[in-house]
Structures are given as C-alpha cells and as structure tokens.
Amino acid sequence: MFDITTERPGDGTRIELLLNRAFGPGRKTKKSYRYRQSVDPLADLSFVARAKADGAILGTLRFWPVAIGAHGALLLGPLAVEPKLKGQGIGAALMFHGLDAAAWARHSRVVLVGDLDYYARFGFAPAAPMGLVMPGEQPHRLLACELAKDAFQGVSGEIRRHPGRLVRGRGGLMAA
Ligand SMILES: CC(C)(COP(=O)(O)OP(=O)(O)OC[C@H]1O[C@@H](n2cnc3c(N)ncnc32)[C@H](O)[C@@H]1OP(=O)(O)O)[C@@H](O)C(=O)NCCC(=O)NCCS
C-alpha cells in the first residue's frame, strides 16, 4: 500500500538512488537530460509513491518546463518504479495523479520520450505526426498528450530547453 505525495525535503537523495536502480547509472547521458540541466523540476508536479508502512520511496515522477516556439509545455519524466515492485500499478498511479495535477494547474501540453505501448493508456500519442521534433531522440518515441482540447493545434517544431519562466497567456502557459 502506498500514497502519492509531492516530494518532501530530504527525498532527493533517495530519488536519485531509485533512478539509478531503475535506469542504470548511465541515465544522465540520455539526450532528454539536456532539458533538465540547470532547470529545476516543477516542485508542485514532483511526486513520489511512498509506502504507507515505512515511508520508503517506491516510485517517482517529475515534470520539467520546456518550450515549443513561444509556447510552454511540460516534459514528463523520469517516471520510475522500484524494480522489484514493477507491475503493481505504482507507475499508473503516479501517471494518473501527475497528469491530473498538471491539468488542475492549467498546463495543457505534455511531451515525453518513451514507449507508446505503455503511455498510450494515459492518453499519449506519437508526436512526430503533429510536427513535434526532439533532436537526438528516435521520432517514434516522442509522444504527446493534450490536457486541454486542441492544445497542440498550431504548436509544432523543435522542443527546446526552457529559456526562462512560464507566464500565463491566452491559450495556456507560454515561455516568457
Ligand atoms: C515503466 C515503469 C515506470 C512502469 O511502472 P509499473 O509500476 O511497473 O507499471 P504498472 O504496474 O502501472 O503497469 C504495468 C503494465 O505496464 C506494462 N509495461 C511496463 N513497461 C512497459 C513498456 N516499456 N512498454 C510497454 N508496456 C510496459 C507492463 O507489462 C504491465 O502490463 P500489464 O498491465 O498488461 O500487465 C517501470 O517499469 C519502470 O520503472 N521501468 C524502468 C524505468 C523506465 O523504463 N521508465 C519509463 C521510461 S520510458
């Protein structure tokens, strides 16, 4: 049994160790990590699955701001679950909770790099046919999800590292 909560002070080291176990120590060489260098994850959208019994961190999900042209979007990930606890619904619980929280916070666009076979169940679809590009990533692994109707309409091109802060504009959050 577990709860989903936002990260708390002191969780950081345990999350790093969990990510190393889930992805292997070379994980930071992944291209998608360049979007995370010198950019903090969004604190109100950084979640852990925490064991009710002893508070152990069983899973982690973070979101990072990125830019697509003048528009803001969220980069979802990493998502990881303690390897010995895979297949118990922890990943799905983090995904549903995280996407719901992002929608409540009025984010409308989410992208990620991952397996469509896993992420389709949460509403993700291939992003390349929508005209979205993430240099260095295999196009079929770039996925997108709209949290508001037609959120990606007229939003295409290269996904870029977030240049600054997000401001609220017509049609949702935009890169400042
Ligand atoms: C991917 C991950 C987060 C899923 O977490 P989880 O708690 O095991 O997932 P859930 O219990 O919610 O769902 C399990 C289901 O997803 C499926 N699944 C898991 N990873 C999958 C993948 N990469 N592609 C397709 N299906 C996948 C399982 O086969 C299982 O299917 P079933 O419900 O038909 O039995 C977890 O396996 C993990 O941490 N993997 C290592 C890190 C990783 O690859 N993260 C994702 C980056 S793309």
Side-chain angles (χ1 to χ4, degrees), residues 22-23 79-81 86-92 113-115 117-119 121:
F23 289 101
L79 166 71
V81 168
K86 283 183 185 178
Q88 297 183 23
I90 298 171
V113 179
D115 294 331
D117 281 354
Y118 183 66
Y119 290 105
R121 70 195 74 181

Side-chain angles (χ1 to χ4, degrees), residues 2 18-19 21-24 30 58-60 76-83 85-96 112-119 121-122 141 143:
F2 59 90
L18 169 55
L19 290 170
R21 286 193 294 278
F23 289 101
K30 284 171 174 254
L58 312 181
T60 172
L76 184 153
L79 166 71
V81 168
E82 185 60 45
L85 299 176
K86 283 183 185 178
Q88 297 183 23
I90 298 171
L94 281 163
M95 284 295 294
F96 285 122
L112 65 78
V113 179
D115 294 331
L116 180 61
D117 281 354
Y118 183 66
Y119 290 105
R121 70 195 74 181
F122 308 112
R141 288 178 53 79
L143 309 177

Side-chain angles (χ1 to χ4, degrees), residues 63 76 79 91-92 95-100 108-112 114-127 130 132 142-152:
F63 292 83
L76 184 153
L79 166 71
M95 284 295 294
F96 285 122
H97 188 97
L99 291 172
D100 203 38
S108 56
R109 304 174 201 97
V110 187
V111 296
L112 65 78
D115 294 331
L116 180 61
D117 281 354
Y118 183 66
Y119 290 105
R121 70 195 74 181
F122 308 112
F124 283 83
M130 300 159 63
L132 296 170
L142 180 62
L143 309 177
C145 175
E146 291 184 334
L147 299 179
K149 191 172 182 305
D150 298 332
F152 278 101

